Amino acid sequence: MNQMTSRRAVVRVPSGPQSIETVDVPVAEPGPAEIRVKIAAAAINPVDLGVAGGVFHQLGLVHQPDCTGLGWDFAGTVDAAGPGVELQVGTRVAGFIDGFDRDHGSHAEHLLVSAANVAVVPDGMDLVEAATVPLNATAAAQLVDLLSEASSEARRVLVTGAAGAVGAHVAVLAQDRGWQVTGMARAADEPFVRGLGVDFATDLGQGWDAVADAGALQEHALRAVRDGGRFVGVQPASRLPEERGIAVEVVFAHPDGALLARLLARVTTGELPARVHAVAPLDEAAGAYQAMAKGGVRGRIVLVP
């Protein structure tokens, strides 16, 4: 009997979107505490562009001998469950896998993941929409944890990239911690940003108690923080040194199924945004990556097998 195979998008010699290819691999069985997900949708994120372009290979974070898998976010259905897993086959789930040094990713037809790292997708939520949530919303929530609670002496936070997938979530979630939020974005994005319930700016300004740098402006954003303030970045490989008494943190998103379940619930109520820019077939991953790389994307491009 022939073993069932599954397609996945990979790069062998990463050099940008043009180096992406789709390969067939055997479908593996889940082990203890694992599930196999039949992917229905998988979002493309900026980190995926970095992997395809070889950024993390050059930093020494990837050591795959043959090929490197692409994709973090996913949504789909449980196709098989290993020993000790309570999730039933057919359950709709979403999640993301982290790390760079792997031969597999979510831009695929099937994926083995830890059952603890996924969340059940609420009834009524489309799986394409759900695929845009896990990495971005989880990163935002964990960034806000690093930002910590606002105080009477420090309440004003600037969120850069507030119209982006991570920044928009940060802008909403930081309000839960008592922060008075201003979102920075291009002028054309003002209606969307103000719709998050925050103030709006088109430039960095100066003297912020804290900056949540979802737009990855790095040193430019750090200069906008007052002496003794807080800065939280989103580029773990490029952590900024502390200066002027500023507490510098950087978020590296890690899967958390329980947290993701709460975030998905807030998306269904409209408290958190989930935006799909476009949908493309998995076999056209290279073209979809090229579209993402051109910029100007609001929301996520989602691949569907």
Side-chain angles (χ1 to χ4, degrees):
M1 181 179 295
N2 293 329
Q3 183 174 14
M4 186 170 68
T5 61
S6 176
R7 291 178 298 157
R8 68 173 58 152
V10 302
V11 286
R12 298 183 192 276
V13 181
S15 57
Q18 70 278 4
S19 63
I20 297 172
E21 57 183 295
T22 304
V23 299
D24 291 318
V25 296
V27 174
E29 294 300 319
E34 285 187 330
I35 58 173
R36 186 174 69 217
V37 178
K38 184 177 181 180
I39 303 295
I44 302 174
N45 291 287
V47 66
D48 299 315
L49 297 178
V51 176
V55 172
F56 302 105
H57 294 73
Q58 294 168 11
L59 291 172
L61 299 177
V62 181
H63 306 283
Q64 291 301 312
D66 183 21
C67 59
T68 304
L70 299 171
W72 290 46
D73 277 319
F74 64 88
T77 56
V78 177
D79 186 52
V85 175
E86 295 183 0
L87 287 169
Q88 298 297 308
V89 170
T91 303
R92 302 189 323 144
V93 295
F96 73 94
I97 52 175
D98 59 350
F100 304 102
D101 195 13
R102 46 183 167 82
D103 64 358
H104 61 283
S106 66
H107 296 165
E109 291 182 317
H110 297 86
L111 182 67
L112 289 184
V113 293
S114 167
N117 290 347
V118 305
V120 175
V121 175
D123 292 340
M125 176 177 280
D126 181 77
L127 289 178
V128 171
E129 179 185 53
T132 69
V133 177
L135 176 59
N136 297 299
T138 300
Q142 292 171 350
L143 186 157
V144 170
D145 283 343
L146 294 174
L147 193 62
S148 193
E149 304 287 336
S151 68
S152 57
E153 296 81 24
R155 299 185 60 84
R156 299 173 62 250
V157 61
L158 178 72
V159 179
T160 68
V166 174
H169 288 108
V170 171
V172 174
L173 296 172
Q175 296 174 72
D176 296 344
R177 302 295 186 91
W179 289 97
Q180 185 179 40
V181 179
T182 297
M184 176 187 161
R186 293 182 295 188
D189 293 313
E190 181 173 357
F192 171 77
V193 174
R194 289 196 182 277
L196 301 172
V198 304
D199 294 330
F200 178 76
T202 56
D203 56 59
L204 286 166
Q206 293 290 327
W208 298 98
D209 295 320
V211 169
D213 189 27
L217 303 182
Q218 291 287 87
E219 292 88 350
H220 300 290
L222 182 63
R223 287 196 289 269
V225 182
R226 66 166 173 80
D227 293 357
R230 297 188 67 79
F231 174 91
V232 185
V234 294
Q235 295 188 329
S238 302
R239 184 190 182 111
L240 297 177
E242 295 188 0
E243 61 175 62
R244 297 185 287 115
I246 298 171
V248 175
E249 300 280 1
V250 63
V251 66
F252 189 100
H254 56 272
D256 183 331
L259 171 61
L260 178 57
R262 297 192 296 272
L263 295 167
L264 286 168
R266 295 186 69 173
V267 172
T268 63
T269 63
E271 297 175 67
L272 291 174
R275 291 185 289 169
V276 177
H277 178 81
V279 176
L282 175 63
D283 287 339
E284 297 177 12
Y289 271 61
Q290 288 173 339
M292 184 80 174
K294 288 180 181 177
V297 173
R298 285 296 174 260
R300 286 289 179 255
I301 299 174
V302 180
L303 298 175
V304 294

